[in-house]
Amino acid sequence: MVCALKGNSLRRYLCLNLYMGLSFLVSVGRYLVISRSGVSSMEYAYFYFYSDALLTIGLYFALLNLYSLVFDEMKVERYLRLGAVILLGGTAWFSYAVINQSSHRILSHFAFELSQNLYFVGLVLTYVLWGAILKLRETRTRLIQLVLSLGVYFSAFAADYALRNLYPNLQPVWQYVTPALGCILPAAWMYSFLFVTEEARLAPSRLATVPR
Amino acid sequence: MMAAFIFVVSVVIFLQFFVFYCRSLIAVSSKQPLSPEVQDVTGIQRAASGEDFNRVMQLLHLCPERPEDRKGIQAIGAYFRLLSFAGSTVAQLAPSMKSWTDSERGHCTYFAAIALERRISFSRDMLAQQMDA
């Protein structure tokens, strides 16, 4: 947020910066819960997964912000918003349907399932956005880097959530892996806001060239 | 079953995004020229070679660290290792892949040299500020 403010980009990337602000507040909240109840307490586990579901929804809207920037000239913002709300509702319904069949502790498992599914939906949407960037020949370097770093983050977290689901007994490993993955997005966005100017241009087709 | 599917798809997409992201970092740095001073220090006169990467990284670690470029350098370091791994395994079967990995490793070296240039000028600024104070 500070780097975006320094580069006069706070308003342009408002949802991204709001997400970062929310992420900061959640981190402070988690620290307070840890210091009061301990890292292995139920209070922290509940706080962690509920706040994570909230953050994932925030990140989903940050992704929508990037969509509206890429499709800026097409004036399709209304349709994008409608599509995003329908997809969010659909994911929530699907998560509830999965949990309803297999679990007694519906609410806490719902938060976990919703986060996992939203990370995956976010990943697919980021992939579609990257496809649109290539197709529309979007050249704004900063925007390209923000989208790509979001893709790295979503895919890393989707894989992390899936592995946690497959191997729930490896909690001592996940407690280090997940915070390390959490550094990806702030670090990549800080780099983009500090070192890449809004005027910088890049041909995205160059990045996707693979040898045959 | 669902989790295993999500895991496999996520890992494949992660690798793809990671490669594109690293190449976007490299593309930004490739537009910046190297100063003659850094060219002398690193020995990079025209095109950078992947063989020089470790040496440039060692020089980079001698300079005071800048927190804002640390993660970018780590990402490119990981990309370089991925390319070296691909170069010594998959690329042995496809000659075009081999030349591509070699050229990409050279770009990684150039990125590290640009980071070195930034750190040197950062150190100079810090020293100048201390002298003024």
Side-chain angles (χ1 to χ4, degrees):
Chain A
M1 276 181 86
V2 172
C3 295
L5 194 66
K6 207 175 152 190
N8 292 326
S9 302
L10 194 72
R11 276 183 65 190
R12 184 167 180 76
Y13 300 98
L14 188 65
C15 283
L16 273 69
N17 287 301
L18 284 178
Y19 166 74
M20 276 297 158
L22 183 67
S23 175
F24 173 73
L25 291 178
V26 164
S27 301
V28 172
R30 282 176 185 171
Y31 175 74
L32 292 176
V33 177
I34 279 185
S35 50
R36 208 174 44 205
S37 312
V39 74
S40 50
S41 64
M42 284 305 285
E43 285 84 357
Y44 179 65
Y46 277 109
F47 188 82
Y48 179 86
F49 286 113
Y50 288 138
S51 60
D52 199 50
L54 192 70
L55 276 179
T56 320
I57 295 170
L59 194 55
Y60 184 78
F61 284 103
L63 177 61
L64 196 68
N65 187 187
L66 293 173
Y67 259 89
S68 62
L69 285 168
V70 171
F71 293 102
D72 202 12
E73 288 168 10
M74 289 187 177
K75 307 288 174 207
V76 288
E77 206 163 320
R78 238 182 74 196
Y79 301 106
L80 281 175
R81 250 185 241 144
L82 185 70
V85 169
I86 290 172
L87 200 57
L88 185 61
T91 312
W93 174 81
F94 176 77
S95 307
Y96 177 77
V98 170
I99 291 305
N100 199 23
Q101 280 178 353
S102 61
S103 175
H104 298 294
R105 285 182 297 172
I106 286 181
L107 203 58
S108 52
H109 279 200
F110 173 72
F112 183 84
E113 188 72 22
L114 180 67
S115 287
Q116 179 192 281
N117 293 337
L118 266 184
Y119 273 117
F120 191 65
V121 169
L123 173 61
V124 174
L125 285 179
T126 312
Y127 203 73
V128 172
L129 183 59
W130 172 242
I133 284 176
L134 287 175
K135 195 81 185 162
L136 296 172
R137 293 179 184 158
E138 174 61 63
T139 56
R140 284 171 282 182
T141 309
R142 186 184 271 175
L143 189 57
I144 289 170
Q145 283 199 350
L146 292 174
V147 172
L148 287 175
S149 53
L150 197 59
V152 170
Y153 180 81
F154 267 132
S155 50
F157 261 91
D160 178 59
Y161 262 95
L163 271 181
R164 273 203 271 178
N165 236 341
L166 287 170
Y167 304 102
N169 297 333
L170 289 176
Q171 184 55 29
V173 177
W174 308 137
Q175 74 180 25
Y176 292 106
V177 172
T178 312
L181 294 179
C183 297
I184 293 175
L185 210 53
W189 285 1
M190 182 181 76
Y191 192 92
S192 299
F193 284 120
L194 268 186
F195 292 116
V196 183
T197 59
E198 191 60 46
E199 292 74 36
R201 293 293 181 266
L202 168 74
S205 55
R206 264 183 62 192
L207 306 177
T209 312
V210 284
R212 287 171 198 276
Chain B
M1 184 64 189
M2 187 70 178
F5 170 74
I6 289 179
F7 175 70
V8 172
V9 174
S10 306
V11 168
V12 171
I13 297 179
F14 172 80
L15 281 174
Q16 216 174 352
F17 272 124
F18 179 69
V19 169
F20 292 159
Y21 178 69
C22 289
R23 294 186 80 190
S24 78
L25 292 179
I26 288 169
V28 172
S29 73
S30 68
K31 288 177 182 167
Q32 296 166 22
L34 273 183
S35 67
E37 192 182 18
V38 175
Q39 281 182 11
D40 284 346
V41 171
T42 56
I44 299 170
Q45 297 303 329
R46 281 184 178 180
S49 156
E51 308 302 316
D52 297 327
F53 184 78
N54 288 330
R55 196 165 46 80
V56 178
M57 287 299 279
Q58 279 171 356
L59 289 170
L60 199 58
H61 291 311
L62 291 175
C63 296
E65 208 172 72
R66 295 179 70 193
E68 56 266 40
D69 70 1
R70 194 191 305 151
K71 296 289 173 190
I73 292 165
Q74 283 176 352
I76 296 299
Y79 181 51
F80 182 82
R81 285 192 290 278
L82 185 73
L83 287 168
S84 302
F85 175 73
S88 58
T89 52
V90 189
Q92 297 295 329
L93 304 170
S96 61
M97 181 84 173
K98 175 83 180 137
S99 60
W100 180 77
T101 51
D102 286 346
S103 131
E104 283 294 298
R105 287 169 81 234
H107 291 147
C108 292
T109 308
Y110 195 81
F111 176 91
I114 291 290
L116 177 67
E117 174 132 16
R118 278 199 197 123
R119 283 195 179 177
I120 289 172
S121 65
F122 174 67
S123 307
R124 279 211 181 115
D125 289 347
M126 261 194 342
L127 191 68
Q129 279 174 8
Q130 279 179 350
M131 299 277 269
D132 288 345

